[in-house]
Amino acid sequence: MLTVTQIANQFGVSRTTILYYEKEELLIPACRSENGYRWYGEKEIKRLEAIISYRSYGLSVSSIRSLLNRDGESQAKILKDHFNELEREIQNLRRQQKAVVVLLQEPSLLEENIVNKERWVEIMVAAGFTETDMVKWHQKFEELEPLEHQRFLESLGISSDEITTIRAL
């Protein structure tokens, strides 16, 4: 069993974050001692791992609550909605980039700053994805949204042959 401070240190988050997750009913201590200390067991540790993982994907607390409690919306729907929101943000940022390029009259900036396959892999690795995780991610993307998966891979500048290979994983 771990205290608030111990679990926070183990996961590299603040004590305040753990207490916030409790307030939001995402992470409830397994028990409280007579002196008021909160104690977290293996079940709570696994739940916090999931919370931190979902937060790293940019999911809101309410979406995480739904995912963890499985109330109402399915995991696939919540993740798909989040994915679509990210896509809208990306498109908006690309429009802003183009507007800045027009103002600067330097079209080469677009090619320099576009996210390509290598940069995407760097981002995934930095987020903690292993090679196996990336394969699973592509498999799930292909299963849920094959057309969007194709478009996404094309947007990274990946060749047709490699896209075929990735989609067949």
Side-chain angles (χ1 to χ4, degrees):
M1 299 286 274
L2 300 173
T3 65
V4 172
T5 302
Q6 291 169 330
I7 199 170
N9 289 340
Q10 181 174 331
F11 284 91
V13 297
S14 70
R15 187 177 182 286
T16 305
T17 297
I18 301 298
L19 297 175
Y20 172 71
Y21 290 156
E22 180 181 352
K23 178 179 162 263
E24 293 296 319
E25 299 178 353
L26 288 179
L27 185 68
I28 306 300
C31 62
R32 280 189 184 238
S33 62
E34 288 180 18
N35 61 5
Y37 278 42
R38 295 164 175 86
W39 292 95
Y40 301 89
E42 196 59 39
K43 181 177 138 193
E44 292 77 25
I45 289 170
K46 293 254 186 260
R47 189 170 173 99
L48 182 57
E49 285 173 351
I51 293 167
I52 289 172
S53 178
Y54 286 137
R55 288 296 290 157
S56 74
Y57 306 146
L59 289 168
S60 68
V61 168
S62 63
S63 292
I64 294 171
R65 185 180 304 105
S66 293
L67 284 168
L68 294 174
N69 297 337
R70 298 281 194 255
D71 57 308
E73 297 180 278
S74 71
Q75 178 181 18
K77 179 171 180 355
I78 290 169
L79 293 175
K80 190 174 177 180
D81 288 347
H82 183 64
F83 178 84
N84 290 332
E85 178 59 31
L86 289 173
E87 182 61 28
R88 283 189 291 279
E89 289 178 33
I90 289 168
Q91 294 305 322
N92 187 39
L93 289 171
R94 284 192 178 137
R95 281 191 295 279
Q96 291 174 16
Q97 274 185 327
K98 288 176 183 175
V100 169
V101 166
V102 167
L103 290 173
L104 291 173
Q105 297 179 351
E106 293 185 42
S108 63
L109 286 174
L110 281 178
E111 285 94 42
E112 292 172 16
N113 293 316
I114 203 155
V115 175
N116 58 20
K117 175 190 169 191
E118 291 75 24
R119 182 65 182 132
W120 183 254
V121 170
E122 286 175 22
I123 291 167
M124 297 292 272
V125 169
F129 279 69
T130 64
E131 192 71 34
T132 303
D133 294 331
M134 287 186 248
V135 168
K136 288 179 185 175
W137 184 87
H138 279 290
Q139 289 170 336
K140 188 52 78 173
F141 197 170
E142 183 67 26
E143 176 187 325
L144 296 173
E145 289 291 330
L147 184 58
E148 290 303 319
H149 190 215
Q150 173 76 28
R151 287 182 186 149
F152 172 75
L153 295 171
E154 289 170 354
S155 78
L156 295 177
I158 299 174
S159 71
S160 297
D161 290 341
E162 190 174 359
I163 289 174
T164 302
T165 302
I166 292 170
R167 292 186 70 196
L169 293 174

